[in-house]
Amino acid sequence: MAQTETPRTTTPTTKKWVYLFQEGSADMRALLGGKGAGCAQMTRAGLPVPPGFTITTEACNAYYQAGRQFPEGMWEQTLEALHTIEQQTGKRFGDPQNPLLVSVRSGAALSMPGMMDTVLNLGLNDATVEGLARLTGNERFAYDAYRRFIQMFGRIVLEIPGERFDEAFEAIKGEVGARQDTDLDAAALKRVVARFKEIVQEATGRPFPTDPYEQLRLAIAAVFRSWMGKRAVDYRNFYKIPHDLGTAVNVQTMVFGNMGDDSGTGVAFTRNPTTGAKELFGEFLINAQGEDVVAGIRTPMPIRKMAEVLPQAYQEFQQIARRLEETYRDVQDLEFTVERGKLYMLQTRAAKRSAAAAVKIAVDMVHEGLITREEALQRVEPAQVEQLLVPQLDEATVEAARREGRVLAKGLNASPGVAVGKAVFDPDRAEELAHAGEPVVLVRPETVPDDIHGLIVAQGVLTARGGMTSHAAVVARGMGKPAVVGAEQVRIDLRERCFAVDGRTVREGDWITIDGGSGEVFLGQLPVHVPNLAELHELNELLGWADQVRRLGVWANADYPRDAERARSFGAEGIGLCRTEHMFMEEDRLPLVQQMILAAPEAARAKRAAGVEAARQALRAARQRAQEQGPAAAPELAELERRLAEAQTKLQADPAWQQYQAALDRLLPIQRGDFYGLLKAMAGRPVIIRLIDPPLHEFLPKHEQLLVEATELRVRGDNPQRLAEVERLLAAVNALREANPMLGLRGCRLGLLYPEINAMQVRAILEAAAQLHREGVETHPEIMMPLVGNIEELRRLHALFTEVAEAVQAETGVRLDYKFGTMIEIPRAAFIADQIAELAEFFSFGTNDLTQTIFGFSRDDAEAKFLGFYLEEKILPFNPFQTLDPEGVGELMRIGVERGRRARPALEIGICGEHGGDPASIAFCHRLGLNYVSCSPFRVPVARLAAAQAALADRGAAAARDR
Ligand code: PEP
Ligand code: MG
């Protein structure tokens, strides 16, 4: 075979683009990629690694910068490194007598399983294949390697659709009567090779490249190209991995696991990646190449079986696995090949693991003295904690489903969690349905990297083939999605979009439930249950360490005692937001609330007409004067008292007022009961109760609904009484309708127009606290005013609340520990935070409204209408309703904190918008010096960990500054 180019020298001035494995090390990950750095580290440690070299990630970036050209000197350095490998192996590239064959594999700094392309057996051509056959004494093996090479090279490098090769392969199998691939003999494989070469010629208009150097050049370029391939870009977008890291290319001597029954290949983890148990866990295939394991084409045997078939190699592998885990102080994901009894290590990298495994491994490793508690806290992603607490199936549900014959199949429990969704059979359709708001479960014979967009949107994935390390399993575990793989009973018909099991058919759109913890697949939607943190011992231990490290408090948003109890069991140290309007929405209260709302505008008019407010204010002023200057300064006091009493008597006689009062009187004990429950559940802890916030029409029936009913009643004419009622409601709803309710009569504006509603709520809170005090229960209610943006709003409400509080304390004889405070959720409030803090004893940032108002994005419309587009087009880097926008919202918060604390240094400040449970936002709140974050009960454990990680990052930054 002619060798076209073999320059062996490099000008010393060119950049170093290529590193032999022995030149690299574990800490060169950014430059060599994970795979390259792993091979380098293993080579350095004297482990059996087939010789090879790595072309750097910088070379990949330089390739793109140069308009898809190899950077200067890279190719020459590649050839030089190849020459070194030739010397190390005693083989020569393209030499028919003793050919060196290599694999060309991608390897980014961050692991992207199955995302990038790999070409094996490179260097084969019509001449070297003969050499391989002679050397191995196995012509069939050589031609099998050759046909695999053309197939892989054709698909990945030359971008010929894989099906063309598959179809040709199946056709030849049919012609020679072979049932399995292994039934094909050398002669048949030669026919396959010839046919594959024809396919290449037909598809590309050029013959298959026989020059190994040309093969290598094209393969390296293909790996670089695949970095910007659709599935790699999708994957990076999903995981927020930057696109400019680049991939390294690893060129490594081939070793063959398919050289007979003393050979094989496997993938193993040093600990169980699903449960975290300390045991070697993996799969092994005798007489196979690595691609067979990863692709899930043949179902492999568990790794411990290797001890029986290849005992020596197994023992060596066990020792190496242990050593690598100790070196990296983390669980490793290993790839290896046994060639004629000799073990070769191909890869070591930190293993992807399920949420449960991540927590268990981190905690176990602390107990084993391998890592510190701080390291353990940094090893677990906050999102993994959330996954552990996600709803699951309980025993009774599963039992009932079994009895009802709803169990369809059982596969491998590849990634825990329960997914309930409509079955879909292709990733594009999954995307379509998911974007329309449908939960979907992706069902595939097996997944391939091109399915990634379907996996991203699916609730979970079910495959009929493949093992625990198949693509579907690895990717789903990484994403924290439930997966059941290798459910072999499931017969999938992709064309008909259905699957059948034992005569039952599930079609696209039918509901299924998959349990990635047990591997079971159920027909229909099963109810799910929420796990209890107390049962999760390792997580509890880890969160205990987090509590010692974090500075931020973690509170919860909870409206009901049951939520408060859950929040408390998850470690919440207070309630940061109880949205009282949710209580009003409950069915038994709604009629009373409606009565209150319908009467409120008339009652307010009556109050003005009776002059109650004017009389009260005049009296208040005179009293103040008397207090400050003595009784002589306010001789009209008695007269003013009489006038107020008179105005009140007049008001009491007004029917609208009576209706309004009656509703409030009946709501008072109900609300008292609500607050009693909440304060009791959080005994001894602060509970922030926010007074009614949303627009009043939200409590009334829908306008359209009333209109239809009124029209029907009018046409039928059989129920004039109901018609009058509906018309009255319609008029009220019409009167309350707003063009932009989110910026309308909400929050404190309501409280100012109808102060009796707020007064009733304040009374209910404080009476509940007084009652609990008598029962010996300690309470710390904090009463919060929403949507304040103007100091006069707060001043008036503060005066009203003080009056109510004084009255309740006088009536009950109990001195209460309560606070009045406000939300900061209108930009103006942040600017006047110093004035607000004169009256408010605490602030809570309502970042939902702050985001809405600072961006001018309607909370109701943005996500449905244009935010998706903004994110796709990268007009915004992230959804500001999920992750706090540091430049706008964050800046307002900074101003609010600074001015608020200037006026009141001990001001308690927290956040209760959705961002309170988002790890990145929590880190921001930590840096801002808030006292606490408040989030939904489920996210409390997540927030505990995220707050600890923020504190650790701070310490790290401080240590770096000190150095
Ligand atoms: C907020 O605005 O952030 C908030 C917590 O209040 P709501 O979502 O109820 O408007
Ligand atoms: Mg709000």
Side-chain angles (χ1 to χ4, degrees):
M1 187 72 231
Q3 295 179 8
T4 46
E5 33 185 338
T6 54
R8 303 260 157 89
T9 52
T10 314
T11 31
T13 50
T14 50
K15 192 174 171 72
K16 187 164 172 65
W17 302 112
V18 177
Y19 287 77
L20 291 163
F21 285 167
Q22 58 266 36
E23 292 177 316
S25 66
D27 52 16
M28 291 169 73
R29 202 183 163 85
L31 188 66
L32 303 180
K35 201 171 286 171
C39 280
Q41 184 65 30
M42 290 194 292
T43 304
R44 263 177 187 243
L47 301 185
V49 178
F53 60 87
T54 305
I55 304 172
T56 64
T57 53
E58 286 178 354
C60 176
N61 287 333
Y63 169 83
Y64 280 104
Q65 273 154 20
R68 302 195 173 214
Q69 301 275 340
F70 289 163
E72 198 196 323
M74 189 202 98
W75 180 243
E76 290 73 17
Q77 291 177 26
T78 302
L79 296 174
E80 200 176 338
L82 196 64
H83 183 57
T84 309
I85 300 189
E86 288 178 336
Q87 287 169 339
Q88 285 171 342
T89 57
K91 299 178 181 189
R92 286 190 41 199
F93 201 48
D95 179 358
Q97 303 311 313
N98 190 11
L100 170 68
L101 301 183
V102 295
S103 64
V104 178
R105 312 168 102 197
S106 60
L110 296 168
S111 158
M112 296 171 59
M115 286 297 107
M116 306 290 288
D117 295 323
T118 293
V119 180
L120 302 177
N121 304 335
L122 190 138
L124 280 176
N125 56 31
D126 291 351
T128 52
V129 71
E130 285 299 326
L132 185 65
R134 244 189 338 272
L135 283 171
T136 56
N138 189 340
E139 191 181 28
R140 185 196 177 280
F141 160 75
Y143 276 90
D144 191 39
Y146 194 19
R147 72 92 191 164
R148 283 173 193 258
F149 170 52
I150 302 174
Q151 194 168 356
M152 238 188 256
F153 194 91
R155 187 170 55 77
I156 295 168
V157 180
L158 304 174
E159 295 175 341
I160 302 167
E163 302 87 73
R164 294 195 59 177
F165 295 105
D166 295 341
E167 280 160 16
F169 189 62
E170 289 305 316
I172 293 179
K173 265 166 79 179
E175 284 163 27
V176 301
R179 286 189 40 222
Q180 299 204 324
D181 297 3
T182 43
D183 295 339
L184 292 173
D185 61 12
L189 288 165
K190 283 184 186 172
R191 277 177 62 185
V192 174
V193 165
R195 180 70 197 115
F196 280 6
K197 284 205 262 181
E198 280 167 22
I199 292 174
V200 171
Q201 173 79 51
E202 284 159 19
T204 64
R206 299 175 58 187
F208 184 76
T210 50
D211 173 2
Y213 289 94
E214 161 118 16
Q215 292 171 357
L216 182 61
R217 198 172 48 73
L218 291 172
I220 293 169
V223 174
F224 282 163
R225 234 179 20 241
S226 71
W227 174 253
M228 282 298 171
K230 182 177 181 323
R231 63 190 201 225
V233 171
D234 281 352
Y235 186 92
R236 290 198 296 273
N237 283 342
F238 182 78
Y239 285 106
K240 300 196 173 69
I241 299 171
H243 294 294
D244 58 0
L245 296 180
T247 179
V249 184
N250 297 289
V251 179
Q252 187 172 23
T253 312
M254 282 297 302
V255 284
F256 294 97
N258 51 347
M259 276 203 170
D261 287 346
D262 57 354
S263 304
T265 186
V267 179
F269 298 84
T270 53
R271 299 190 192 207
N272 186 316
T274 307
T275 64
K278 197 177 177 186
E279 62 194 11
L280 208 52
F281 177 90
E283 290 162 337
F284 182 73
L285 263 176
I286 280 284
N287 197 10
Q289 264 194 327
E291 50 169 342
D292 300 333
V293 182
V294 178
I297 293 166
R298 272 164 63 189
T299 303
M301 58 170 97
I303 190 92
R304 62 189 136 72
K305 285 261 180 203
M306 188 180 152
E308 292 159 29
V309 288
L310 293 168
Q312 227 171 349
Y314 182 70
Q315 213 179 14
E316 192 187 354
F317 179 67
Q318 266 185 317
Q319 280 166 5
I320 289 176
R322 210 171 306 128
R323 237 175 93 186
L324 284 170
E325 193 182 274
E326 278 166 18
T327 306
Y328 285 96
R329 299 161 66 242
D330 197 3
V331 184
Q332 297 297 297
D333 169 352
L334 306 170
E335 276 180 33
F336 64 95
T337 284
V338 181
E339 182 182 290
R340 293 182 165 161
K342 170 147 180 47
L343 173 73
Y344 290 98
M345 297 303 299
L346 301 182
Q347 176 160 316
T348 184
R349 60 179 169 189
K352 297 238 173 239
R353 60 206 81 173
S354 72
V359 172
K360 179 167 167 51
I361 290 165
V363 172
D364 284 354
M365 284 191 165
V366 171
H367 292 310
E368 290 164 25
L370 228 55
I371 59 174
T372 64
R373 287 178 177 189
E374 284 75 15
E375 282 172 313
L377 286 168
Q378 282 158 320
R379 290 272 172 98
V380 178
E381 306 256 341
Q384 290 178 313
V385 172
E386 194 167 6
Q387 267 174 50
L388 285 180
L389 299 164
V390 292
Q392 302 179 355
L393 294 178
D394 66 29
E395 270 304 306
T397 303
V398 174
E399 276 307 308
R402 286 199 186 116
R403 272 198 313 277
E404 291 159 16
R406 291 224 220 165
V407 182
L408 287 174
K410 189 161 175 127
L412 300 173
N413 52 341
S415 178
V418 174
V420 184
K422 294 183 170 177
V424 279
F425 296 85
D426 83 74
D428 293 342
R429 187 82 181 118
E431 226 178 22
E432 240 172 76
L433 287 179
H435 285 162
E438 301 276 5
V440 298
V441 173
L442 184 64
V443 184
R444 300 284 288 167
E446 67 210 339
T447 64
V448 291
D450 282 335
D451 296 339
I452 187 80
H453 56 297
L455 281 160
I456 286 173
V457 297
Q459 304 294 311
V461 57
L462 165 65
T463 70
R465 291 204 292 267
M468 294 297 265
T469 47
S470 64
H471 177 262
V474 171
V475 174
R477 267 201 300 274
M479 289 183 179
K481 299 204 175 200
V484 174
V485 302
E488 288 172 355
Q489 313 91 308
V490 170
R491 307 239 157 277
I492 300 175
D493 185 334
L494 289 180
R495 262 224 325 264
E496 292 295 315
R497 299 178 178 214
C498 66
F499 73 78
V501 192
D502 297 335
R504 276 185 298 179
T505 304
V506 173
R507 302 194 172 279
E508 182 182 282
D510 289 350
W511 286 93
I512 56 171
T513 300
I514 62 166
D515 184 347
S518 69
E520 280 176 302
V521 181
F522 305 89
L523 189 61
Q525 291 169 273
L526 297 198
V528 284
H529 112 269
V530 182
N532 178 351
L533 183 62
E535 295 158 8
L536 304 170
H537 302 295
E538 279 101 0
L539 179 59
N540 256 321
E541 192 167 1
L542 187 82
L543 292 177
W545 299 337
D547 294 344
Q548 288 166 11
V549 167
R550 68 185 160 90
R551 198 186 64 210
L552 269 177
V554 177
W555 298 15
N557 294 356
D559 305 330
Y560 305 101
R562 63 172 183 276
D563 296 338
E565 274 154 25
R566 169 165 300 139
R568 202 167 178 163
S569 77
F570 282 176
E573 297 153 308
I575 298 294
L577 175 64
C578 161
R579 292 176 163 103
T580 52
E581 59 272 8
H582 290 174
M583 299 163 166
F584 284 0
M585 296 281 188
E586 285 190 33
E587 228 173 310
D588 55 333
R589 293 111 192 258
L590 207 53
L592 290 174
V593 175
Q594 290 180 348
Q595 182 186 330
M596 174 183 85
I597 293 167
L598 291 173
E602 270 309 308
R605 249 190 302 278
K607 201 165 106 184
R608 264 196 308 279
V612 171
E613 213 39 59
R616 183 175 287 133
Q617 272 183 21
L619 179 61
R620 220 181 260 149
R623 276 192 183 138
Q624 184 140 8
R625 221 176 320 121
Q627 209 177 11
E628 285 164 11
Q629 303 167 24
E636 74 281 32
L637 210 56
E639 172 56 17
L640 289 176
E641 273 167 4
R642 194 194 57 74
R643 268 199 230 154
L644 176 60
E646 199 180 82
Q648 274 169 334
T649 312
K650 190 170 160 206
L651 182 59
Q652 307 298 344
D654 184 280
W657 182 261
Q658 284 170 356
Q659 255 204 339
Y660 182 51
Q661 277 305 319
L664 287 167
D665 288 350
R666 287 182 61 195
L667 280 168
L668 174 68
I670 297 176
Q671 283 264 275
R672 196 193 299 129
D674 291 334
F675 300 136
Y676 175 90
L678 199 63
L679 290 167
K680 191 169 180 179
M682 293 304 287
R685 309 264 184 196
V687 175
I688 297 188
I689 299 169
R690 184 181 72 186
L691 304 181
I692 187 168
D693 182 12
L696 290 180
H697 72 74
E698 285 194 8
F699 301 101
L700 299 178
K702 294 258 164 305
H703 181 259
E704 294 72 20
Q705 201 181 318
L706 290 170
L707 208 58
V708 170
E709 193 180 349
T711 312
E712 279 175 4
L713 285 164
R714 228 172 276 133
V715 171
R716 281 209 314 269
D718 58 352
N719 194 346
Q721 210 182 333
R722 174 69 191 155
L723 177 61
E725 203 178 309
V726 171
E727 278 177 338
R728 201 167 63 91
L729 268 173
L730 199 55
V733 170
N734 261 333
L736 288 171
R737 256 152 78 100
E738 291 173 305
N740 197 344
M742 268 293 178
L743 299 177
L745 182 58
R746 276 179 69 195
C748 66
R749 302 159 199 171
L750 259 172
L752 288 160
L753 251 66
Y754 311 123
E756 296 75 18
I757 304 178
N758 276 179
M760 178 276 289
Q761 290 194 296
V762 173
R763 175 169 279 277
I765 294 165
L766 297 177
E767 284 182 355
Q771 187 177 339
L772 283 163
H773 176 85
R774 283 193 295 268
E775 291 169 18
V777 179
E778 185 189 327
T779 65
H780 303 282
E782 303 192 10
I783 298 167
M784 180 158 73
M785 217 48 247
L787 240 61
V788 170
N790 176 330
I791 192 62
E792 193 52 28
E793 290 171 335
L794 194 63
R795 201 167 281 140
R796 292 190 182 199
L797 292 165
H798 189 266
L800 172 73
F801 299 166
T802 309
E803 252 173 49
V804 177
E806 289 303 328
V808 173
Q809 292 181 105
E811 288 158 25
T812 58
V814 177
R815 284 319 297 169
L816 293 165
D817 176 34
Y818 63 89
K819 282 184 187 159
F820 282 137
T822 177
M823 295 198 67
I824 303 287
E825 53 181 347
I826 298 287
R828 195 173 189 285
F831 294 121
I832 59 159
D834 46 352
Q835 296 175 42
I836 293 181
E838 297 282 342
L839 291 173
E841 292 165 285
F842 65 89
F843 283 180
S844 177
F845 284 108
T847 45
N848 303 335
D849 272 307
L850 266 185
T851 304
Q852 159 168 275
T853 44
I854 192 94
F855 275 94
F857 286 173
S858 154
R859 281 164 70 176
D860 294 332
D861 300 319
E863 284 182 300
K865 295 287 194 298
F866 59 85
L867 255 184
F869 172 80
Y870 265 43
L871 296 173
E872 250 171 56
E873 292 292 315
K874 308 218 164 22
I875 297 171
L876 277 179
F878 53 81
N879 180 345
F881 287 106
Q882 281 169 8
T883 298
L884 205 138
D885 149 51
E887 293 172 351
V889 177
E891 187 57 14
L892 279 177
M893 291 171 72
R894 196 188 56 68
I895 292 170
V897 169
E898 197 237 306
R899 298 188 185 172
R901 291 223 170 108
R902 203 194 299 150
R904 190 188 285 265
L907 185 70
E908 169 194 290
I909 308 181
I911 176 176
C912 65
E914 282 311 297
H915 308 88
D918 169 70
S921 314
I922 291 171
F924 184 85
C925 294
H926 169 90
R927 292 195 295 273
L928 213 56
L930 298 200
N931 297 88
Y932 67 87
V933 293
S934 186
C935 54
S936 82
F938 277 121
R939 305 197 94 188
V940 164
V942 179
R944 288 165 70 191
L945 180 62
Q949 290 182 345
L952 289 172
D954 228 15
R955 279 192 208 169
R961 272 198 306 277
D962 293 346
R963 270 201 295 274

